[in-house]
Amino acid sequence: MNNRLPPAWSKHIKRGFAPTHRFPQASLGKLNALSRAQADDALLRQAYDHQQAKRLEQAQDLCLQVLARTPNHPLALYILGTLCLGYDDEMALQYFVRAVNEEPNNPYYHLSLGEAYVKVSEYSPAIRHMLYALELQPNLVEALCALGRAYIDSGKPELALPLYERALKVIPDHPKVRIGLASALSSLGRMDEAGAYLRKSIERRINVPTAYYDLVQTQKFTEEPPELNSILEQLDSPKLDSSGAQQLHYAAGKVLNDIKRYGEAFDHFNKAKQALGCKFDIDSHRLWIDSLIETFAPDLFAARSGFGNPSDVPVFVVGMPRSGTTLTEQILASHPDVYGAGELSKLRRVANGLGLKMSSAGDLSRPIGSLTPELTGTLVEEHLSYLRERAPSALRVVDKMPHNFELIGLIGLLFPNARIIHCRRDAIDNCVSCFVLPFSEAHSYNTDLRTLGLYYREYDRLMRHWNEVFPDRIFENRYETLVADQEAQSRRLIDYLGLPWDDACLSFFDREGSVTTPSRWQVRQPIYNSSVKRWKNYESEIQPLIDALGDLADM
């Protein structure tokens, strides 16, 4: 569960009991109702205290107690939504929807419902609820910033700029304002302006670790900048929490890597992982991969050959993170008939709804058995409508969610004519590139080198299975091939999409549009080959990774 609460929700909790009254016998019903309301308030105050102390299970239990006797208590529903956000986003959505239905004029409820929709890449309803929150409370800075973030994530950072500028006038030193403004500018390629806002945030001592981390991403350093000493000084602060330490270590590592002090850089990357403190169960993950391979066998597709939709609009770019998925999408989206939709979670939501998730490893026959022709038809129409909403006239729409490599079997059932581009990169380079970046807790396989190498082996095992099930259907896009001869490989990619060549695909770095992944600086540059065999800079530090990769490590 997530301990993040939307801003100021605790304002809704009454901080004292109502004064005691004597009630006549005829008012017993009212007395009981008042007593119940007082008891509910007391439990929710305790839930809030547990939440603040990160005792999340206890907070959840108290909210459920309230709902057991007051089934639609809006604040209890709301708190449960905040606890689920980031842990079970579908459940968070359900709680927030119920809270909004009970109290439709509460701006915080609409704001949090919008943020939950962002979590699952449903940007249209997210933006609608955030806009309504701002109708109810026009200067609600949290809503201005959240709406700005939604516009950035949905590829419209130019719409985010005026929102952050408006928020800057309301609360100049709000921790999300300058950071968000810089993020919008970075997404538009306006790195110098972004850097100015981040430096101002640092000068004002606002959200300093995040500001430093974002600042060092706006450029590549060729000599030691003054910011490095400042970052190292911040790391000695006794007030620094684990999240701040993680961001500062990553920032220091990035600068040191740029200026070729690789040993020091990797020491900071390791310390960043230690600050995060996550563990990954590789044994459970292996069982999940076993289940996928066993379930999605050739005979499954033969028995369901009439299922799915023949549309050739969907294009899925998959692979390990940092394998070239963003670069590939940028090249494809430079074509006038292609729309790059970014990393969409729509397919994962469909899979979760069917029961295709790691917790169900061992028996996926029931979820797949539920896929009747009628349900399949409904799911694909919803998915195509979701894509058309983003690009009504595009002939191809690219979803570059890397981990859709786990769901290629589902893609084959739903969209038998969809293009699938698998981005593959030198295994050691790919893993090192992952390790030096701050992925979310959903990528906890990335917290130690050995686990990362073992995870890569499972990814490789699954991709070999998909290539056997779908021979000659998946286009393998080697990163090293692409950087060695951009034009030849780009032409192959466009040909695979069934489209005529367009020279705009050679100037992908000049195209207008936003980039919101960690690759946002690199994809503003022409193709470069400095990332090929980058791992050799860290050879003495990464032996556990090389050992775990085994025969996949190309030395």
Side-chain angles (χ1 to χ4, degrees):
M1 280 184 285
N2 194 298
N3 71 329
R4 175 190 172 278
L5 285 176
W9 76 266
S10 56
K11 292 177 182 176
H12 302 288
I13 295 183
K14 301 178 181 65
R15 278 295 172 188
F17 288 102
T20 304
H21 295 283
R22 288 181 175 273
F23 291 91
Q25 190 66 32
S27 299
L28 185 58
K30 292 182 179 178
L31 176 61
N32 288 339
L34 180 60
S35 299
R36 186 174 64 201
Q38 290 175 338
D40 288 346
D41 283 347
L43 288 175
L44 292 176
R45 284 197 299 274
Q46 291 178 46
Y48 172 72
D49 291 339
H50 282 307
Q51 197 277 340
Q52 293 300 294
K54 300 185 179 182
R55 295 187 295 268
L56 306 179
E57 297 289 349
Q58 294 93 320
Q60 181 186 48
D61 290 344
L62 291 171
C63 290
L64 292 174
Q65 284 183 44
V66 171
L67 291 177
R69 62 172 172 238
T70 312
N72 291 310
H73 194 297
L75 183 54
L77 293 167
Y78 179 60
I79 298 171
L80 282 169
T82 65
L83 292 169
C84 290
L85 200 61
Y87 166 73
D88 186 340
D89 295 326
E90 299 292 342
M91 185 61 70
L93 273 173
Q94 294 179 34
Y95 283 129
F96 288 139
V97 166
R98 290 173 63 189
V100 163
N101 288 339
E102 292 299 312
E103 202 171 317
N105 290 323
N106 187 312
Y108 291 98
Y109 293 4
H110 283 280
L111 168 58
S112 294
L113 178 54
E115 290 181 309
Y117 275 121
V118 166
K119 287 279 190 181
V120 297
S121 303
E122 293 282 359
Y123 294 109
S124 291
I127 289 167
R128 184 170 66 249
H129 282 283
M130 291 172 183
L131 286 170
Y132 190 66
L134 287 168
E135 283 185 33
L136 295 168
Q137 195 167 329
N139 287 329
L140 182 57
V141 169
E142 292 85 357
L144 290 168
C145 293
L147 181 57
R149 185 74 252 170
Y151 280 133
I152 293 170
D153 290 348
S154 60
K156 301 172 183 175
E158 69 281 358
L159 298 181
L161 289 176
L163 294 165
Y164 286 117
E165 289 164 352
R166 182 170 144 198
L168 193 62
K169 293 176 182 176
V170 179
I171 306 180
D173 288 345
H174 188 284
K176 292 185 178 179
V177 173
R178 289 189 181 89
I179 299 293
L181 193 49
S183 180
L185 290 165
S186 293
S187 295
L188 290 167
R190 294 159 62 178
M191 301 299 184
D192 291 342
E193 294 171 79
Y197 279 107
L198 294 167
R199 288 186 177 90
K200 187 67 173 178
S201 188
I202 292 166
E203 177 189 322
R204 302 282 297 169
R205 313 306 299 162
I206 301 161
N207 211 351
V208 171
T210 301
Y212 270 124
Y213 176 78
D214 288 353
L215 177 62
V216 302
Q217 308 306 317
T218 62
Q219 68 182 103
K220 187 174 180 66
F221 298 94
T222 56
E223 57 185 29
E224 182 177 321
E227 288 85 1
L228 180 58
N229 277 334
S230 301
I231 291 168
L232 297 177
E233 288 173 5
Q234 288 295 315
L235 280 166
D236 290 331
S237 171
K239 297 180 180 179
L240 190 64
D241 62 14
S242 60
S243 175
Q246 183 192 12
Q247 289 181 303
L248 290 170
H249 278 301
Y250 277 122
K254 194 271 183 187
V255 174
L256 289 162
N257 176 76
D258 283 355
I259 59 177
K260 298 180 170 48
R261 287 159 59 179
Y262 299 117
E264 295 171 77
F266 212 80
D267 181 57
H268 282 285
F269 295 139
N270 270 318
K271 288 176 178 175
K273 300 301 181 188
Q274 293 163 15
L276 182 61
C278 286
K279 298 292 183 184
F280 183 77
D281 188 343
I282 190 65
D283 293 327
S284 294
H285 183 71
R286 281 198 188 98
L287 292 176
W288 162 240
I289 300 300
D290 289 343
S291 299
L292 288 173
I293 291 173
E294 181 180 344
T295 302
F296 289 97
D299 57 349
L300 173 75
F301 297 95
R304 290 168 171 77
S305 59
F307 285 34
N309 186 294
S311 172
D312 56 5
V313 170
V315 178
F316 297 92
V317 175
V318 304
M320 281 287 289
R322 308 298 295 163
S323 62
T325 54
T326 299
L327 174 59
T328 301
E329 184 206 33
Q330 289 289 300
I331 291 170
L332 298 176
S334 299
H335 193 286
D337 292 326
V338 179
Y339 177 77
E343 297 180 0
L344 303 178
S345 60
K346 181 66 172 176
L347 188 68
R348 180 66 65 176
R349 291 188 74 195
V350 170
N352 289 345
L354 292 170
L356 291 173
K357 43 189 170 183
M358 200 165 84
S359 58
S360 60
D363 183 16
L364 300 181
S365 58
R366 181 175 297 178
I368 294 303
S370 70
L371 267 178
T372 62
E374 294 76 21
L375 177 57
T376 302
T378 299
L379 292 174
V380 297
E381 282 305 319
E382 286 181 358
H383 199 104
L384 291 173
S385 175
Y386 178 82
L387 299 182
R388 282 193 294 268
E389 181 183 304
R390 282 152 179 75
S393 60
L395 298 183
R396 306 285 183 269
V397 178
V398 181
D399 174 356
K400 73 165 204 78
M401 180 63 78
H403 278 79
N404 280 342
F405 73 78
E406 294 181 339
L407 303 178
I408 288 176
L410 182 60
I411 294 171
L413 289 173
L414 299 180
F415 299 106
N417 292 333
R419 268 74 170 188
I420 303 169
I421 298 171
H422 172 215
C423 293
R424 186 182 280 278
R425 184 179 179 184
D426 174 273
I428 312 178
D429 271 340
N430 199 161
C431 290
V432 168
S433 189
C434 288
F435 191 76
V436 302
L437 286 175
F439 290 179
S440 71
E441 291 183 20
H443 300 269
S444 55
Y445 58 84
N446 190 36
T447 54
D448 76 82
L449 290 168
R450 179 179 179 275
T451 302
L452 178 56
L454 295 175
Y455 181 90
Y456 188 96
R457 291 191 66 84
E458 294 306 306
Y459 142 77
D460 178 77
R461 179 164 72 102
L462 183 59
M463 285 308 308
R464 283 188 278 113
H465 171 72
W466 296 136
N467 281 316
E468 291 172 6
V469 174
F470 302 111
D472 302 320
R473 179 173 167 192
I474 301 170
F475 183 98
E476 182 162 301
N477 185 36
R478 291 284 312 192
Y479 178 81
E480 292 78 13
T481 303
L482 182 59
V483 300
D485 192 342
Q486 178 200 346
E487 180 171 353
Q489 189 70 349
S490 297
R491 285 181 177 275
R492 293 184 195 105
L493 283 165
I494 298 302
D495 183 64
Y496 173 70
L497 296 193
L499 297 173
W501 174 251
D502 193 291
D503 284 340
C505 298
L506 297 179
S507 303
F508 65 91
F509 48 88
D510 283 336
R511 69 182 284 264
E512 294 184 1
S514 66
V515 182
T516 59
T517 70
S519 310
R520 62 184 177 271
W521 183 83
Q522 292 98 317
V523 299
R524 300 290 180 189
Q525 320 302 317
I527 279 186
Y528 57 97
N529 60 14
S530 58
S531 291
V532 176
K533 296 297 180 183
R534 174 193 182 193
W535 66 266
K536 288 184 176 293
N537 297 324
Y538 299 115
E539 189 166 3
S540 60
E541 284 87 9
I542 61 170
Q543 196 58 47
L545 169 66
I546 294 171
D547 292 342
L549 285 171
D551 61 344
L552 298 180
D554 179 9
M555 302 293 288

